[in-house]
Amino acid sequence: MARVEETGGDREENKEEETSWWSPEAVEGGRVGEGPSRGSRGGRGGDGGRPDTPPPPPYSDQVLENVLENVLQFLVCRRDRNAASLVCRSWYRAEAQTRRELSVGNCYAVSPARVVRRFRCARALVLKGRPRFADFNLFPLGWGARFSPWLAAMATAYPWLERVCLKRMTVSDSDLAFLARSFPSFRDLTLICCDGFGTAGLAVIAVLCRNLRILDLIENDVEDEEEEVIDWISRFPETTTSLESLSFECVNCPVNFSALEALVARSPSLRRLRVNQNVSLGQLRRLMARAPHLTHLGTGSFRPGIAEDLNVADLEQAFVSSKSLICLSGFREVAPEHLPAILPVCANLVSLNLSYAVITAEQLKPVILKCNNLRTFWVLDTVGDEGLLAVAKACKNLHELRVFPFEATEDSEGSVSDVGLVAISNGCRKLQSILFFCQRMTNSAVVAMSKNCQDLVVFRLCIMGRHRPDHITREPMDEGFGAIVMNCKKLTRLAVSGLLTDKVFKYIATHGKSIRTLSVAFAGDSDLSLKYVLEGCHSLQKLEIRDSPFGDVGLLSGIHHYYNMRFLWMSSCMLTLSGCKEVAQKMPNLVVEVIGDRPKDLDSDTVEKLYLYRSLEGPRDDVPLFVNIL
Amino acid sequence: MASGLMLEETELRLGLPGGGAGELAEVAVIRSSGKRGFLETIDLKLKLQTPAESKESESTEQGNKATDPHEKPPAPKEQAVGWPPVRSFRKNILNVQQQSESKNKEEQSDKAAAAAAAAFVKVSMDGAPYLRKVDLKTYKSYQELSTALQKMFSSFATSGNYGSEQGVSVRDFMNGAGKVTALVINGSEYVTTYEDKDGDWMLVGDVPWEMFVDSCKRLRVMKGSEVVGLAPTAMEKRKNRG
């Protein structure tokens, strides 16, 4: 571990393949007082805590670095850049000077100060906070992942910042205001699954970000007290805007429609518009008339408003005129008899999201049978196996399928099953990604999919009833998932469910060598399962486990691997405080968080929720009362 | 309390082999068989278990789970938190859809669906820095809700000196409005109120549970001293409307 002390450096989180976490050459070379220009190279400023600073490189090396920077600026892919930065110190510095987009997969793995010190010229930041299980109420509110400290650091370091993309972070209205004021060139804001802000923050963005091109709000929790809703759409400047994409499906309050219509009318570059469910069908038609060049459309409610008299023919005409549409979503309160209005664009559709549309197979068929170029399809299980059969017949090019449950409870009837899965596997041979919620499944269906769809990269099957076996043979679902990991050689993401024994984890460990993300719930018999996975899945980066009988022995078997992972989450398992403490003691660069529902929980020996992740910074300083860092 | 535990033991549970941690037991609840009138339920309730007791019943539950791992339990189970892994806005929106469909048309809405869809409401507590959200459909009674609220907010009430003896309990007390259900935290009395569909703030506990779930839009746990002069109870409201 001495090596880590010397050379930990500031490895920034790598989203794709993780390179080895430390390397002999990754020495920090801080530069004091240098801006983005490749001007004078003065002496090297030492980093706080670094011992003596070596003398500046000889002239010829400086020339080499200049040349290098000119070449490296063409490298865009993050993986390539990380590789280049490992070649030698010179390349490390040159790469740091030319990296334009920073991607930090865990906001606590590295501090803003460290990032800003290494990368001097960033124009874009992608930042992720909470892990995925936070979406399901497993993280108490107020756990952390605030944007404020990052914003503060970037406001001074990157005044030329243009793009920010945040996922699962807490962003306040004042953060948004500060962002709008700090970056005059700011163009693109994308917020995914974030919380903490409301219409007040959106209003400031609208007013101050004069160069705004993209404002995409995707699945955020937008909080507003009813009395405090602000008409943010009206706050965009009266002049022509440079808006290319505006998505606000998750903003639940009504918007000022005439302001919206006027905004669309003066945004000639607008190509992607996704409105919320308060926009009626009649209003949608008017918006479409204002923006006939849209490529992506989120249709809002897709239901006539009160006193709107709309016939399908009128609406269909609107779609006939929108010749560029390739992506449709919305349909939040769809009146099924109006759905056929989209027929004119179906042949061109690449992506169709009907996952809020409560429709039957009969209502789906006429539409889906025309969607022969579809690559991405999201749907509700109300269409049943029969609906999926139609999809399989029509969408030969399907790459991604998501089937969501209408009744998301354990004892619901469930309308799709192994029958639908087999049909899809037979018809959609190019399938790469599937998320499938159901109540009945068989091993043979999953095996069939593993054989028919060898291109699968993401396989997420959620049998909603806990511990459900194969509904025909009554066997555990081990063989099905085993076949998936054996036959789908490109698999990187897997979520398992149903009745599962230790055996399935042996399969996963043996064959799932490329798996990076694994989700486990209510599965396994013993610590062996966890041991298999941690010892066998060499590419594993994200492991989320809930309600499975894994204890300290399993946890400790991963000590050789945790530094290669982004995080491990375990809740309602059989961990004890002593086991977790042991991990914390043995791995100083790991932050081990024990999360409780009450502070009292933190004193007991059983650990209800464990979240551990590697970090260069040690325990964070914004720990709430219900979290204990070991 | 003891008799309640007996019922648990006889209930067939799906247990993990090796008797392990079961579903996230957010609520340690005594599920009663047979129906009760809602008034009786109110009386029953809110002698809440202290944390020590609730731990005991939790571990008994877990022990019982190691019965038969390979059989589906016959009766509908307690829902586990966050399972199935579907985001809350997806659950809630379907509920909205059902309401708007039945509003605009006379088409049959799927009864089972309406019953099963979630009901997420915000919960705020005076003095707590954070809001919480709860899915009312995961609870079957006021008692379950009280336990959950107790758990959620005791961390704020004990602020800093956790391990304090006072903790949280629930009792009845007389207020200007009559008998009121009060969550007592750390010595101060907090009362749970909710905003109903009409926008009025009512005291929690008056109406049958299902009716409450349907009409509750948000919850607020406020100091007992501020309750005087609150909107009338549901029963008085109905009376006044004639």
Side-chain angles (χ1 to χ4, degrees):
Chain A
M1 292 303 135
R3 241 174 154 207
V4 174
E5 252 85 67
E6 282 166 21
T7 63
D10 45 0
R11 307 243 75 160
E12 159 217 63
E13 274 297 308
N14 185 351
K15 179 191 172 187
E16 304 299 305
E17 241 164 55
E18 300 290 350
T19 54
S20 161
W21 198 56
W22 49 78
S23 92
E25 295 310 311
V27 175
E28 232 179 292
R31 275 191 227 271
V32 172
E34 272 218 353
S37 66
R38 287 188 294 285
S40 61
R41 228 109 320 227
R44 236 186 287 174
D47 178 42
R50 279 286 141 214
D52 51 68
T53 63
Y59 179 70
S60 55
D61 282 359
Q62 287 181 15
V63 169
L64 185 62
E65 279 189 25
N66 284 349
V67 170
L68 207 48
E69 284 183 15
N70 274 300
V71 171
L72 287 182
Q73 71 182 339
F74 294 103
L75 273 188
V76 170
C77 164
R78 199 168 33 245
R79 233 187 290 175
D80 292 341
R81 285 195 154 267
N82 287 345
S85 72
L86 292 177
V87 169
C88 65
R89 280 174 203 167
S90 190
W91 282 54
Y92 177 91
R93 282 192 301 266
E95 192 283 313
Q97 278 297 101
T98 55
R99 191 182 291 224
R100 293 279 178 267
E101 178 175 300
L102 305 183
S103 186
V104 180
N106 175 0
C107 64
Y108 287 123
V110 72
S111 72
R114 195 187 286 264
V115 169
V116 151
R117 213 163 43 226
R118 174 176 171 183
F119 299 105
R120 297 298 175 128
C121 308
R123 300 267 156 85
L125 176 74
V126 176
L127 187 57
K128 298 185 185 177
R130 296 177 281 274
R132 199 179 67 98
F133 270 12
D135 294 347
F136 313 124
N137 266 3
L138 291 178
F139 266 67
L141 294 178
W143 171 81
R146 286 174 197 89
F147 184 43
S148 312
W150 288 87
L151 189 52
M154 290 190 310
T156 35
Y158 307 136
W160 49 83
L161 193 72
E162 293 171 356
R163 296 185 284 133
V164 166
C165 174
L166 304 178
K167 188 165 185 182
R168 296 199 185 94
M169 304 273 307
T170 296
V171 185
S172 66
D173 286 332
S174 32
D175 286 338
L176 290 177
F178 188 44
L179 181 137
R181 284 196 299 270
S182 308
F183 307 114
S185 323
F186 195 74
R187 299 199 298 200
D188 300 348
L189 180 64
T190 305
L191 300 177
I192 306 171
C193 300
C194 296
D195 63 5
F197 66 96
T199 50
L202 297 178
V204 187
I205 296 282
V207 171
L208 293 182
C209 298
R210 296 273 151 160
N211 297 315
L212 198 65
R213 286 186 322 184
I214 294 178
L215 180 59
D216 281 348
L217 309 169
I218 299 169
E219 296 184 358
N220 299 294
D221 196 359
V222 182
E223 316 251 331
D224 270 310
E225 301 296 328
E226 272 180 38
E227 319 80 60
E228 291 167 8
V229 169
I230 289 185
D231 181 7
W232 57 285
I233 291 281
S234 312
R235 303 294 175 92
F236 281 93
E238 296 286 316
T239 55
T240 304
T241 77
S242 32
L243 277 177
E244 293 172 18
S245 175
L246 178 63
S247 301
F248 58 93
E249 286 170 311
C250 60
V251 180
N252 280 327
C253 47
V255 287
N256 178 340
F257 180 72
S258 41
L260 177 62
E261 190 177 4
L263 176 64
V264 170
R266 64 179 189 276
S267 303
S269 309
L270 195 67
R271 294 291 172 271
R272 304 197 292 274
L273 177 65
R274 296 178 178 107
V275 301
N276 68 15
Q277 69 218 45
N278 298 102
V279 174
S280 71
L281 208 40
Q283 290 173 332
L284 180 71
R285 194 164 69 117
R286 285 162 63 175
L287 291 176
M288 289 171 74
R290 297 285 188 173
H293 303 296
L294 288 178
T295 56
H296 295 60
L297 178 63
T299 61
S301 68
F302 216 79
R303 171 173 287 276
I306 304 177
E308 260 179 17
D309 189 16
L310 216 58
N311 59 43
V312 182
D314 291 338
L315 194 55
E316 195 169 320
Q317 196 48 46
F319 281 93
V320 167
S321 310
S322 298
K323 300 187 197 306
S324 314
L325 278 180
I326 56 169
C327 174
L328 277 183
S329 61
F331 305 102
R332 295 280 172 135
E333 296 170 23
V334 68
E337 66 278 11
H338 285 93
L339 192 57
I342 72 171
L343 283 170
V345 297
C346 285
N348 293 332
L349 281 185
V350 157
S351 169
L352 178 59
N353 180 351
L354 291 175
S355 64
Y356 293 93
V358 183
I359 56 176
T360 63
E362 285 315 305
Q363 290 161 341
L364 174 68
K365 275 184 201 169
V367 167
I368 203 71
L369 288 174
K370 290 262 160 76
C371 296
N372 306 113
N373 281 317
L374 216 55
R375 284 176 65 108
T376 300
F377 185 50
W378 293 20
V379 71
L380 269 188
D381 67 354
T382 51
V383 301
D385 287 330
E386 198 188 332
L388 294 180
L389 196 56
V391 174
K393 238 188 269 186
C395 308
K396 295 303 179 192
N397 221 7
L398 201 64
H399 280 57
E400 177 181 324
L401 174 69
R402 296 196 192 189
V403 181
F404 291 95
F406 179 46
E407 280 184 57
T409 59
E410 283 188 72
D411 14 47
S412 61
E413 257 310 298
S415 324
V416 295
S417 72
D418 47 290
V419 172
L421 192 71
V422 170
I424 292 288
S425 78
N426 281 326
C428 308
R429 297 298 176 105
K430 300 190 193 168
L431 203 62
Q432 291 177 2
S433 169
I434 182 165
L435 170 62
F436 197 90
F437 285 86
C438 63
Q439 291 287 25
R440 291 183 305 286
M441 189 47 61
T442 62
N443 280 307
S444 64
V446 180
V447 170
M449 176 153 273
S450 77
K451 292 189 176 150
N452 290 337
C453 304
Q454 304 248 322
D455 287 340
L456 276 176
V457 173
V458 173
F459 185 79
R460 299 159 68 191
L461 175 62
C462 181
I463 304 170
M464 293 189 284
R466 287 173 259 169
H467 310 291
R468 287 234 176 127
D470 179 319
H471 77 97
I472 292 179
T473 67
R474 313 301 294 167
E475 304 253 294
M477 292 297 300
D478 297 338
E479 298 308 312
F481 286 104
I484 290 283
V485 291
M486 270 187 260
N487 299 333
C488 304
K489 311 273 194 291
K490 306 181 193 173
L491 199 74
T492 59
R493 183 170 177 184
L494 179 66
V496 300
S497 62
L499 181 66
L500 294 168
T501 71
D502 289 338
K503 216 197 304 178
V504 70
F505 294 102
K506 190 113 211 327
Y507 291 143
I508 293 173
T510 311
H511 301 282
K513 298 303 184 189
S514 310
I515 293 180
R516 296 201 292 261
T517 304
L518 180 63
S519 304
V520 176
F522 305 101
D525 298 325
S526 72
D527 276 321
L528 276 180
S529 292
L530 186 52
K531 202 161 171 318
Y532 289 147
V533 165
L534 288 169
E535 288 173 359
C537 297
H538 303 310
S539 308
L540 194 63
Q541 286 165 28
K542 301 193 263 188
L543 180 56
E544 39 189 36
I545 303 174
R546 61 169 295 176
D547 294 276
S548 301
F550 308 150
D552 296 340
V553 171
L555 182 70
L556 290 164
S557 63
I559 284 189
H560 67 287
H561 189 63
Y562 291 139
Y563 281 150
N564 292 332
M565 289 176 62
R566 184 175 298 174
F567 72 80
L568 166 67
W569 166 273
M570 287 179 69
S571 59
S572 305
C573 297
M574 292 161 69
L575 299 172
T576 72
L577 206 55
S578 29
C580 299
K581 276 190 175 152
E582 192 177 334
V583 173
Q585 272 153 18
K586 290 192 170 149
M587 307 189 75
N589 283 315
L590 214 57
V591 173
V592 180
E593 296 196 10
V594 171
I595 302 170
D597 281 314
R598 313 175 275 191
K600 256 194 176 144
D601 292 339
L602 301 179
D603 294 331
S604 85
D605 198 45
T606 50
V607 167
E608 180 59 27
K609 296 181 187 178
L610 169 75
Y611 180 51
L612 62 78
Y613 50 91
R614 65 183 175 186
S615 172
L616 291 172
E617 312 301 343
R620 55 191 175 108
D621 54 12
D622 61 351
V623 177
L625 282 177
F626 47 83
V627 172
N628 193 10
I629 295 188
L630 301 179
Chain B
M1 293 282 158
S3 59
L5 282 172
M6 292 302 185
L7 286 171
E8 293 283 46
E9 274 172 61
T10 57
E11 214 180 328
L12 234 198
R13 286 283 182 136
L14 191 63
L16 298 162
E23 46 265 53
L24 192 67
E26 193 186 60
V27 178
V29 146
I30 314 303
R31 184 122 33 108
S32 55
S33 58
K35 300 182 185 181
R36 292 172 187 266
F38 65 95
L39 282 173
E40 289 172 274
T41 314
I42 305 252
D43 281 340
L44 202 232
K45 55 179 169 174
L46 316 156
K47 284 183 219 169
L48 234 30
Q49 299 167 316
T50 64
E53 273 177 33
S54 74
K55 273 241 153 44
E56 233 174 59
S57 67
E58 266 178 39
S59 53
T60 320
E61 265 189 42
Q62 285 169 12
N64 291 335
K65 287 202 180 122
T67 47
D68 192 340
H70 294 291
E71 266 194 26
K72 207 170 88 126
K77 299 192 285 217
E78 250 169 68
Q79 304 286 340
V81 171
W83 186 263
V86 172
R87 296 200 186 123
S88 56
F89 57 80
R90 261 186 203 283
K91 290 181 178 179
N92 245 358
I93 283 177
L94 295 174
N95 206 7
V96 165
Q97 180 138 13
Q98 287 299 300
Q99 287 175 5
S100 74
E101 269 188 9
S102 46
K103 243 193 315 186
N104 292 353
K105 300 221 161 193
E106 274 96 59
E107 25 185 23
Q108 243 183 26
S109 47
D110 188 346
K111 283 181 294 185
F120 276 88
V121 298
K122 286 191 202 172
V123 186
S124 62
M125 174 168 163
D126 288 358
Y130 305 116
L131 288 182
R132 296 279 181 136
K133 273 196 178 158
V134 292
D135 177 3
L136 292 179
K137 297 270 184 183
T138 60
Y139 311 113
K140 305 264 185 322
S141 66
Y142 285 113
Q143 186 176 0
E144 288 185 33
L145 177 63
S146 284
T147 320
L149 290 180
Q150 164 202 343
K151 272 190 162 191
M152 242 181 259
F153 287 111
S154 61
S155 54
F156 298 123
T158 53
S159 53
N161 49 328
Y162 44 90
S164 115
E165 248 64 86
Q166 291 178 316
V168 179
S169 63
V170 176
R171 61 181 181 78
D172 301 324
F173 70 105
M174 296 307 279
N175 201 355
K179 187 168 105 167
V180 150
T181 302
L183 201 66
V184 179
I185 296 176
N186 237 10
S188 343
E189 280 156 358
Y190 284 82
V191 171
T192 316
T193 61
Y194 72 101
E195 184 181 3
D196 72 2
K197 281 185 182 148
D198 304 327
D200 297 323
W201 285 90
M202 319 276 286
L203 293 171
V204 164
D206 286 328
V207 300
W209 173 252
E210 290 78 15
M211 203 183 294
F212 164 70
V213 171
D214 280 336
S215 62
C216 172
K217 273 180 19 187
R218 51 194 292 186
L219 284 166
R220 182 174 160 205
V221 181
M222 52 197 285
K223 291 214 161 69
S225 47
E226 295 176 28
V227 171
V228 180
L230 196 64
T233 62
M235 294 208 272
E236 283 175 18
K237 198 169 155 181
R238 280 201 293 276
K239 239 191 314 174
N240 291 344
R241 294 229 175 103

